[in-house]
Amino acid sequence: MSDAQHSQETKVSGRGFYCKCLSFSFFFPAIFLVCNFVAFPRVPDLFLEWDLFQDFLVGGLINTLFLLPGMILPILILPCMLVLYGGVIVPTVVYSGYLVTFKDFFDYDVSHFVWNTNWNQAWEFLASRLTLPAWVALAFVLLFPFVLMYMTLRSPKPANSLKRALCLVPLLAFGVFYEGYLMRLHPQIQIRSWVDDNIRVYFFRYYAREFYKYKNMDAAERAMLWTMAQQPKEHFPLKELKRVYDGEVNGLVLVGESASRLHQGIYGYFRDTTPRLSAMSEDLVIFDEVEVVTSASTRSLLGAFSFVDRQHGIADYTCSIFDILNEAGFETIWLTNSVIESIVAFGGGDAFVRMINANVQRYEDVNIADENGKHLDEATVPLLKDILTSSRSSKGIFVRFNGSHMHYVNRYPLEFARFKNYPDDPKRPWLTPEKKNIIDQYDNTILYTDHVVAEFVEAMKQQGGASFVLYFSDHGEEVFNTRDFFGRVDKKVEETPPIMKIPLLLWFSDEYKRRFPEVVEAARANRHKNFVLDDLLWTMTDLYGLTFEGFRPDKSLVNRNYVPVSLNLH
């Protein structure tokens, strides 16, 4: 072989090595770029389209910077590739998968979901989302980089690699400085800032910033709740707490999960998903204008049971309904059958779970699986009956359901699988047979919850005395109602009425009606007025016949002085 031929072969081989290195560098930004166009197939702004492409270029160049030592000294190329893979594969998979699934970007709000998720919830989420195409896509993203690594290692290494690799430095510098140049050239273009904050998931700074924001907020919540749990009784923050009426009062608060008002027959849904509650509707007060402020379960409940008011930006954790009841001499009891209520979450537990564990006198995690491995809410009913007969003191009993939390088919026994063959709807062309089956399953969860709530009402009715039952859901659920999607996304909550609109029902015993007629009358008078769940603490205080200095009757749904709030969908 002549020297000229050998020189030409070396050049070709060198190009192959560099091309494979660059392919590896640009693979991860390319995945996210493709996912952007899958999630948002019609981009109305041409500048946004260019901005996405620009971020693809800049991201690839910065990834190339990580490979530069291996491109200069080929013996280092495998360690460099492995380091780059380990650093970007998790954000690439998580962010890209989230973008395609939810048509939204991963930020602080989503970090809250992830780090307050336990293994049960994570597994059920994956089981409900990962279809065969999703598994194929995931396998490709995880494994194809190793194919690129193998091809790169098999390529003949170039001669003069230092000189050739250093030729990339001006290109890398151009990409970085061009980014800053555009920021100064177009400061008025707000989309620049939006893309900068959301698109470049393969940059460590973005993930670190959002996680740091979450941890700071979580640490603040922990500190406030710890102070609230440890404060001496004489430092109870509310003054002049007293009972308005003498005598025993038992309250039962049922906390539903993911139950949308728009899927309930008692609220006008075309399917009779609430036959038992509908049959006792004359004995119920049905509130039909109740909304949540957030679709995150723990945040929603933290607002409902404490002075937190997210609608007006008030984060007051100084006192909870449990503190109020404890101070007033009630026995506070929390029963849970929720698969998502676990202190052993990825992020160490959430503020709401810590609050109830610190402040209720009795906490029981039921979670009893039936013969089919399902954790059914009906298992909590016998516990309630035992509690009601155990003592004669006034009780504040709270029960949290699995309700309609995905995976829907695991939320009800087989005898409640009654809804099938959801009808076609020309206004929703995305309703395939598979998606209509998911709607059927969701409606069956509502049917089963109707049965469980009715069982609790019957148990309280048999007990007698002055008592009430309050049922609501922490948030609703989008189940292909308004778009081709099921589940919930916190940042999209204002766009999805099925998520925001929740049921809220009250049942009063005959003795309660006799002793607290003004509460019952006010509740009936306010049943069509706007209400947000963050104000529920004031309503519960009124229901238990309590008051204190600074009490807000204008926020209590069972008070004649209640003032309706403005809702996001009105």
Side-chain angles (χ1 to χ4, degrees):
M1 180 182 294
S2 65
D3 291 343
Q5 290 175 325
H6 178 74
S7 177
Q8 181 65 25
E9 181 180 340
T10 301
K11 289 181 180 179
V12 172
S13 300
R15 292 193 191 101
F17 175 78
Y18 289 128
C19 285
K20 293 178 179 65
C21 290
L22 291 175
S23 297
F24 188 86
S25 297
F26 281 86
F27 174 76
F28 303 103
I31 291 297
F32 195 70
L33 180 66
V34 170
C35 288
N36 268 279
F37 286 106
V38 170
F40 307 109
R42 293 177 296 277
V43 182
D45 193 330
L46 292 179
F47 177 78
L48 176 58
E49 292 188 21
W50 161 243
D51 222 25
L52 295 175
F53 185 65
Q54 172 191 303
D55 278 293
F56 160 74
L57 291 176
V58 174
L61 291 174
I62 290 183
N63 286 347
T64 303
L65 190 61
F66 281 92
L67 297 187
L68 195 58
M71 298 170 76
I72 295 174
L73 298 174
I75 194 173
L76 298 177
I77 192 62
L78 180 60
C80 288
M81 284 183 163
L82 290 174
V83 169
L84 182 60
Y85 177 86
V88 301
I89 190 60
V90 171
T92 298
V93 170
V94 172
Y95 294 163
S96 299
Y98 187 87
L99 178 63
V100 171
T101 301
F102 293 101
K103 309 296 188 294
D104 205 352
F105 295 100
F106 197 105
D107 67 355
Y108 160 74
D109 291 314
V110 184
S111 296
H112 183 275
F113 277 103
V114 171
W115 290 100
N116 284 305
T117 295
N118 57 45
W119 288 110
N120 285 334
Q121 189 177 8
W123 174 249
E124 289 193 343
F125 174 83
L126 293 176
S128 65
R129 295 289 178 179
L130 287 184
T131 60
L132 180 59
W135 279 111
V136 172
L138 179 62
F140 173 77
V141 173
L142 292 175
L143 299 179
F144 188 72
F146 290 99
V147 176
L148 291 176
M149 290 183 203
Y150 176 78
M151 294 171 63
T152 303
L153 294 175
R154 294 281 295 176
S155 297
K157 305 304 181 288
N160 301 319
S161 57
L162 175 61
K163 184 185 297 184
R164 294 179 179 180
L166 289 178
C167 291
L168 293 172
V169 173
L171 187 62
L172 295 170
F174 169 77
V176 174
F177 285 106
Y178 178 66
E179 179 79 349
Y181 168 74
L182 277 185
M183 288 290 287
R184 297 186 63 182
L185 185 64
H186 301 287
Q188 75 282 7
I189 301 178
Q190 295 301 313
I191 195 69
R192 211 27 254 155
S193 174
W194 177 77
V195 173
D196 180 65
D197 283 341
N198 292 291
I199 297 299
R200 276 175 266 136
V201 299
Y202 32 83
F203 285 177
F204 298 111
R205 67 172 181 83
Y206 174 72
Y207 175 80
R209 183 180 69 239
E210 296 304 315
F211 177 69
Y212 181 73
K213 190 188 302 182
Y214 159 75
K215 294 304 289 183
N216 275 349
M217 179 65 73
D218 184 67
E221 288 181 342
R222 285 174 184 264
M224 284 185 284
L225 292 169
W226 176 257
T227 300
M228 187 169 67
Q230 297 299 314
Q231 61 189 359
K233 187 174 181 179
E234 60 268 22
H235 293 160
F236 183 70
L238 302 182
K239 298 179 180 179
E240 301 297 325
L241 176 65
K242 59 184 178 181
R243 296 196 186 197
V244 179
Y245 304 100
D246 294 329
E248 179 186 347
V249 176
N250 288 318
L252 173 62
V253 179
L254 305 176
V255 183
E257 170 67 46
S258 304
S260 174
R261 189 171 78 225
L262 302 187
H263 279 258
Q264 305 213 356
I266 201 169
Y267 284 100
Y269 186 51
F270 76 96
R271 281 176 161 175
D272 188 13
T273 54
T274 55
R276 294 190 63 180
L277 290 177
S278 296
M280 61 174 69
S281 59
E282 294 297 323
D283 296 325
L284 301 175
V285 181
I286 304 167
F287 299 93
D288 51 21
E289 290 296 340
V290 181
E291 292 185 6
V292 294
V293 179
T294 171
S295 67
S297 296
T298 56
R299 289 180 177 181
S300 178
L301 297 181
L302 194 59
F305 289 104
S306 73
F307 286 119
V308 171
D309 184 353
R310 300 187 188 281
Q311 191 181 42
H312 300 98
I314 300 173
D316 185 354
Y317 300 88
T318 56
C319 191
S320 70
I321 187 62
F322 313 116
D323 295 299
I324 294 172
L325 294 177
N326 288 335
E327 183 71 9
F330 284 76
E331 182 182 0
T332 52
I333 302 163
W334 183 275
L335 308 177
T336 181
N337 192 48
S338 173
V339 295
I340 67 172
E341 189 175 301
S342 171
I343 297 180
V344 190
F346 297 152
D350 62 77
F352 177 70
V353 173
R354 291 194 294 272
M355 180 175 72
I356 59 176
N357 275 271
N359 295 300
V360 297
Q361 299 170 20
R362 177 178 173 184
Y363 178 92
E364 289 200 25
D365 188 348
V366 182
N367 256 313
I368 301 173
D370 68 358
E371 63 275 9
N372 297 312
K374 297 182 178 182
H375 298 259
L376 301 176
D377 291 328
E378 204 169 1
T380 54
V381 176
L383 278 177
L384 172 70
K385 295 178 179 179
D386 292 340
I387 291 169
L388 290 174
T389 58
S390 62
S391 68
R392 299 301 299 174
S393 62
S394 294
K395 301 177 183 64
I397 307 169
F398 301 82
V399 183
R400 189 175 182 185
F401 294 162
N402 270 327
S404 301
H405 192 275
M406 64 176 67
H407 195 221
Y408 306 139
V409 73
N410 286 337
R411 301 292 168 251
Y412 54 88
L414 293 177
E415 58 267 28
F416 282 84
R418 300 176 190 174
F419 294 112
K420 301 176 182 178
N421 303 317
Y422 190 88
D424 293 327
D425 185 350
K427 295 181 180 180
R428 292 182 285 171
W430 54 81
L431 289 184
T432 62
E434 179 185 13
K435 292 170 184 176
K436 288 191 288 185
N437 183 55
I438 292 175
I439 298 175
D440 291 334
Q441 293 174 0
Y442 181 78
D443 286 348
N444 288 330
T445 68
I446 301 294
L447 178 68
Y448 180 61
T449 298
D450 165 78
H451 166 72
V452 176
V453 172
E455 287 293 301
F456 276 112
V457 171
E458 290 297 330
M460 294 295 283
K461 187 183 297 185
Q462 293 173 13
Q463 180 66 18
S467 61
F468 69 87
V469 178
L470 169 65
Y471 165 69
F472 69 93
S473 182
D474 56 353
H475 53 75
E477 192 95 324
E478 171 74 45
V479 194
F480 308 109
N481 301 80
T482 62
R483 54 185 172 137
D484 188 9
F485 172 81
F486 78 101
R488 54 193 167 89
V489 181
D490 195 41
K491 293 196 299 176
K492 295 284 187 180
V493 65
E494 294 185 6
E495 302 176 17
T496 53
I499 294 177
M500 295 189 68
K501 294 179 177 292
I502 61 168
L504 194 151
L505 310 172
L506 267 172
W507 172 87
F508 300 106
S509 69
D510 291 337
E511 178 66 14
Y512 190 99
K513 294 175 186 177
R514 186 187 65 81
R515 288 178 53 192
F516 306 104
E518 66 284 353
V519 172
V520 179
E521 291 171 6
R524 288 172 176 164
N526 295 330
R527 66 186 186 277
H528 301 307
K529 295 180 180 179
N530 298 345
F531 182 76
V532 291
L533 194 64
D534 272 11
D535 289 340
L536 192 65
L537 178 141
W538 308 100
T539 299
M540 289 187 289
T541 302
D542 246 350
L543 286 170
Y544 283 106
L546 303 173
T547 188
F548 51 83
E549 183 180 307
F551 178 74
R552 294 284 302 273
D554 59 312
K555 286 179 172 287
S556 170
L557 198 53
V558 295
N559 196 291
R560 63 183 178 181
N561 296 314
Y562 174 68
V563 178
V565 298
S566 59
L567 299 179
N568 292 331
L569 296 182
H570 288 257

